[in-house]
Amino acid sequence: MPAGLHLFLAALPLLTLLGQPVDAYFGLTSKESLSHYTSPSTATGSNHNRPHLKQCDLLPLTRRQKRLCRKEPGLAEALKEAVRLGIVECQYQLRSERWNCSLQGRGSLLKRGFKETAFLYAVSSAALTHSLAKACSGGKMERCTCDDSPGLESQRAWQWGVCGDNLRHSTRFLQNFLGQRKGGRDMRAKVDLHNTNAGIKAVKSGLKTTCKCHGVSGSCAVRTCWKQLSPFHETGALLKAKYDNAVKVLGATNEAVGGHESLGHSFAGRSPRSTDLVYLEDSPSFCRASRFSPGTTGRVCFRETTCDSLCCGRGYNTQSRMVTFSCHCQVHWCCHVECQKCVQQQDTYTCKQ
Amino acid sequence: MSSDLSTLSLRKREEKDMADRHSWILDSRECHKLHCAAPKPTTSADFLAVKCVDIRKGNHGAPKWLIPWGRDRCASIRGFEEAASQEIYANDIVFSVHIPFQGQEMSPWFQFMLIILQLDIAFKLNNYIEDNAIVTLDVAMAYRDELSDPWTELARSVEQRKLQCAFHAPKTADNQGRSYECDVLPLIELGSVAHKYYLVNIRLPVHNVKKINMGIGEINDLHLVTIFQNGGFTKVWFAMKTFLTPSILIIMIWYWRRITMMTRSPVLLEKIIFALGISMTFINLPVEWFSIGFNWTWMLLFGDIRQGLFYVMLLSFWIIFCGEHMMDQSERNRISVYWKQVVPIAFGSCCLFIFDMCERGVQLKNPFYSIWTTDVGAELAMAFIIVAGICACLYFLFLCFMVYQVFRNISGKQSSLPAMSKARRLHYEGLIFRFKFLMIITLACAALTTVFFITTQVSEGNWKWGEYNIELNSAFFTGIYGMWNLYVFALMFLYAPSHKNYGDDQTNGGAAVSSAEELQLTTTITHADGPTELYRLAGKEAQE
């Protein structure tokens, strides 16, 4: 986790609860404060008899989600990891945008239909899909791939060989968990649902198929292929590209038409594909502090590239100081770095008020 | 043909098959419960290694097994940033994988288990993968059969694998933290899955002076992908073999009885067909049933050898069949006549046998071994395969040439057929018919095999057909296997010598046949049932 995030979170006041969550969303799109997710985990080594029950109670979940959480001991941990992953990736991808995925003002954003809202929904569901699949392959969950075959013990299905892959399981579970099987009530709900699905699709499209031959003498007469999750950074980069090319759809509520079809109209002329991010209204500038964001005052920028857009034409302060940093490092693959200390003059640019 | 259908038909057969009655009933119940879900031939399961921390300092004493989850799970870290702050060193970190997942068990029905290593390596400006980087793995594997049992060591070794990674973005500060795309590394091959639970512990020891595990980038995660045969597929496969063995065996006995009933000794073609039958039976013999009860790790190697023998027999059969239908006046009937064609077969299969012994044979001793991991080994293996490939090319050239010769002779004979005596003409017509018939079914079988093979390589192998989810790969494997069995069956059935008609005619009414013809007819004769009819008619007419 970047050090800046810690500082930021420390300064972040607890968000006020915006009433009981109506939607069954979770993670970055949950209406509750997220600050406790980013604190270091304390779960390992707990002496509690069934520690996951307590963790499920601590998470901001609806009643149905809590029930699902209690049934699966590894889920609470995976959900927490998903939120952490989502926040880190969101802030990394938008580090040089005016809205840098600051958690402050997230509640107000979620009530509207901006591009940023779309990104929050997509990144959140992508992170959930990714970390659920990862928790499955890490052996942290008890009900994973073999859960799909109803009316059959998991052990039987496993031995017979009809268990699916982790990703299919996590997608299906997620759709159940987020409670979004049927279309939403209004346009906003539909847009949110669309963006959530776009997040899941982004993870799926990043899958890489790898094969291994193991026929007679290792020939390719018999071949087994499997799908491999790409690192979440890649998914984040894909979603960032989708965010930059998000499609605006007409805001008129169209209750007569159900499902995704009602998203068929857009200003850009092309109808949004299921992998596109869609939004309803143009974003505010995010330049000044508002209920959506803390503004760009005091943001660090790069003079050549980002300062103009980031500071909204207000100009920037230049600060020059001597910085000590590690250099000529010799790094081993894990955990061990031998560095020298170098000193360099460094200019920092921050946006003016 | 699909394995759905084969499981269904197996259910029908269960009444007949008394010997394995119990297991069939079990099968059919399972089939019902699974809605006859056809399993893929093999499954892969992806296991993400848990980064355990070996808290004992010094790493001395008896090997300790670190378990990723469950009651006695190890102390673990989530990422390596944590390790740096806790003063944990690379040598204390153990990647731990428990196979299979919680609540599941491995089973002997899985037949074999291949474990493949996948590394997730991130690019850092100050820590990148150097050229020709080699990763050194200290791998240990253990098993147990009860969750309360202690772990028993299965194998332990220090292995080196070459890292072949590509980074598709420019290596700039901006792209730090992005991942390399690395080729998978074969890690373990087990020829039997006799235990319920397996545990793999991997260390990546770092040694500054010896340059061990230096310049291998920032390893973030380690995955083990496990491949094994599906239990369901194994059952279908065993069932098929158990059914096919007696059918081929019976036709073989019938065929040999026909030959011994002849007054002459068997000709070469008859012998080679019989040998083909034996090698098919050898493959069919369901000795795999024993792998359920015994821990026979050599099953993979044995299977390779059996298949190899069958291929040798099939290839030799084609050559000899062409030769015996050459219809020139030269005497063949000896294997030594065919040395030009048989030598490439023998040499090529020897090469592949040596290669297989070097790979799967050595794996019996050290399951981590792979001939491809060392440069010399890889070159040697490549040399064997190339030589075998050249032999295969040579063989097919010879075969094509012989087929061409036969067709040339056929067209030559066909033009002179009307001028021949009746018996002689019918004899040649029979030969031509037999040859063309075999050509057609052989080409059809080969074409089907090729098409199926290409389809399995290209497609994902899953077709929805109404309510049934047909697993193409399983269907193809069973289909092809059945087809070649049928081929051998048909060969023995159709090409068995007739014991009543022609031989008698020859001795009784042989006056019509000149001595030269007699010589040739006896050297090349094996009558098919189809042509037998022809001969019978011919014999009657000739007598008249």
Side-chain angles (χ1 to χ4, degrees), chain A residues 283-302:
Chain A
S283 307
S285 71
F286 296 108
C287 283
R288 299 273 172 196
S290 67
R291 60 204 170 94
F292 298 122
S293 79
T296 61
T297 308
R299 287 274 301 278
V300 176
C301 61
F302 299 103

Side-chain angles (χ1 to χ4, degrees), chain B residues 228-261:
Chain B
F228 47 83
Q229 190 162 308
N230 275 322
F233 181 76
T234 311
K235 284 177 188 171
V236 171
W237 195 245
F238 282 13
M240 199 161 165
K241 286 189 150 190
T242 316
F243 167 73
L244 286 170
T245 309
S247 33
I248 294 282
L249 206 64
I250 286 166
I251 197 80
M252 230 167 72
I253 292 166
W254 174 83
Y255 175 80
W256 196 244
R257 218 176 58 88
R258 274 288 180 91
I259 288 174
T260 47
M261 278 163 79

Side-chain angles (χ1 to χ4, degrees), chain A residues 1 41 44-45 77 81 84 92 95 134 136-142 145-146 150-163 166 208-212 214-218 220-228 231 233-234 329-336 338, chain B residues 27 29-30 33-34 37 39 42 44 46-48 69 78 80 83 88-90 93 95 100-107 110 112 114 116 118 126-127 174 177-179 181 184 204 206 208 214 217 219 221 225 227-228 230-232 235 304 307 355-356 360 453 457 460 477:
Chain A
M1 193 184 306
S41 103
T44 41
E77 195 65 26
E81 174 61 21
R84 198 190 62 83
Y92 173 78
R95 63 196 181 282
K134 225 172 159 178
C136 268
S137 62
K140 294 197 180 89
M141 309 242 280
E142 277 178 14
T145 54
C146 293
L152 188 81
E153 306 151 53
S154 129
Q155 170 63 19
R156 266 279 182 76
W158 160 256
Q159 287 206 353
W160 184 260
V162 286
C163 293
N166 293 334
K208 212 178 70 183
T209 305
T210 320
C211 294
K212 161 88 178 158
H214 51 91
V216 184
S217 309
C220 276
V222 189
R223 206 174 60 147
T224 304
C225 296
W226 66 95
K227 293 204 172 74
Q228 200 187 335
H233 255 342
E234 312 286 325
C329 292
Q330 200 197 9
V331 193
H332 300 169
W333 73 267
C334 160
C335 336
H336 181 60
E338 281 165 25
Chain B
D27 238 5
R29 198 175 62 211
E30 241 165 82
K33 258 187 134 180
L34 290 156
T42 52
S44 61
D46 184 354
F47 297 87
L48 176 68
W69 39 255
R78 201 189 285 155
F80 290 118
I88 297 167
Y89 296 103
I93 287 183
F95 291 93
F101 296 115
Q102 286 187 59
Q104 294 165 344
E105 290 170 5
M106 296 307 272
S107 127
F110 292 160
F112 64 85
L114 315 179
I116 291 153
Q118 257 178 339
N126 57 15
N127 188 11
D174 241 13
R178 292 184 67 170
S179 295
E181 275 187 25
V184 295
L204 298 173
V206 172
N208 260 342
M214 305 290 284
I219 296 177
D221 269 316
V225 180
I227 296 173
F228 47 83
N230 275 322
K235 284 177 188 171
D304 283 358
Q307 279 200 44
F355 164 73
D356 213 56
R360 288 195 166 154
F453 178 71
Q457 300 289 310
E460 279 290 290
F477 280 125

Side-chain angles (χ1 to χ4, degrees), chain B residues 190-457:
Chain B
L190 290 182
S192 69
V193 190
H195 305 286
K196 283 183 184 162
Y197 309 104
Y198 290 88
L199 180 73
V200 184
N201 276 185
I202 302 174
R203 288 170 204 266
L204 298 173
V206 172
H207 204 290
N208 260 342
V209 186
K210 288 186 197 156
K211 289 271 170 211
I212 290 173
N213 282 340
M214 305 290 284
I216 54 169
E218 188 178 83
I219 296 177
N220 282 333
D221 269 316
L222 189 149
H223 289 258
L224 291 188
V225 180
T226 311
I227 296 173
F228 47 83
Q229 190 162 308
N230 275 322
F233 181 76
T234 311
K235 284 177 188 171
V236 171
W237 195 245
F238 282 13
M240 199 161 165
K241 286 189 150 190
T242 316
F243 167 73
L244 286 170
T245 309
S247 33
I248 294 282
L249 206 64
I250 286 166
I251 197 80
M252 230 167 72
I253 292 166
W254 174 83
Y255 175 80
W256 196 244
R257 218 176 58 88
R258 274 288 180 91
I259 288 174
T260 47
M261 278 163 79
M262 304 287 289
T263 45
R264 58 178 171 79
S265 58
V267 294
L268 180 64
L269 188 57
E270 287 165 350
K271 284 184 202 153
I272 191 81
I273 289 180
F274 190 66
L276 192 63
I278 289 176
S279 64
M280 192 81 240
T281 316
F282 193 42
I283 289 194
N284 282 341
L285 272 183
V287 279
E288 283 95 337
W289 283 111
F290 290 107
S291 69
I292 305 303
F294 301 94
N295 182 13
W296 285 354
T297 45
W298 43 268
M299 254 335 177
L300 271 184
L301 182 67
F302 185 58
D304 283 358
I305 292 171
R306 291 199 291 178
Q307 279 200 44
L309 266 178
F310 176 70
Y311 293 142
V312 168
M313 281 303 158
L314 190 66
L315 297 180
S316 317
F317 162 72
W318 284 338
I319 283 290
I320 290 167
F321 188 84
C322 283
E324 298 295 299
H325 286 76
M326 203 60 101
M327 288 177 284
D328 49 8
Q329 303 303 323
S330 61
E331 155 93 39
R332 289 199 170 78
N333 208 19
R334 271 176 298 116
I335 191 86
S336 52
V337 180
Y338 300 100
W339 68 268
K340 257 193 300 188
Q341 291 84 7
V342 172
V343 161
I345 302 176
F347 194 65
S349 51
C350 272
C351 278
L352 284 180
F353 177 70
I354 294 170
F355 164 73
D356 213 56
M357 285 307 284
C358 289
E359 176 86 0
R360 288 195 166 154
V362 179
Q363 273 163 7
L364 295 180
K365 279 266 160 247
N366 175 11
F368 302 106
Y369 179 83
S370 172
I371 196 168
W372 298 101
T373 52
T374 57
D375 282 334
V376 181
E379 274 167 29
L380 206 69
M382 214 57 217
F384 279 132
I385 289 170
I386 287 171
V387 169
I390 292 170
C391 288
C393 287
L394 263 179
Y395 166 80
F396 276 103
L397 279 179
F398 280 130
L399 185 67
C400 289
F401 181 64
M402 280 182 90
V403 170
Y404 163 76
Q405 273 185 321
V406 173
F407 273 110
R408 201 190 52 196
N409 288 354
I410 282 178
S411 58
K413 277 279 168 346
Q414 262 170 343
S415 58
S416 58
L417 270 181
M420 290 178 193
S421 71
K422 203 157 199 178
R424 199 185 151 106
R425 194 182 77 219
L426 285 170
H427 164 68
Y428 278 120
E429 274 175 352
L431 277 184
I432 291 167
F433 175 78
R434 270 167 32 139
F435 184 76
K436 285 189 171 166
F437 183 72
L438 188 92
M439 267 306 272
I440 287 166
I441 60 165
T442 305
L443 281 180
C445 285
L448 273 179
T449 309
T450 321
V451 167
F452 283 171
F453 178 71
I454 290 169
T455 322
T456 50
Q457 300 289 310

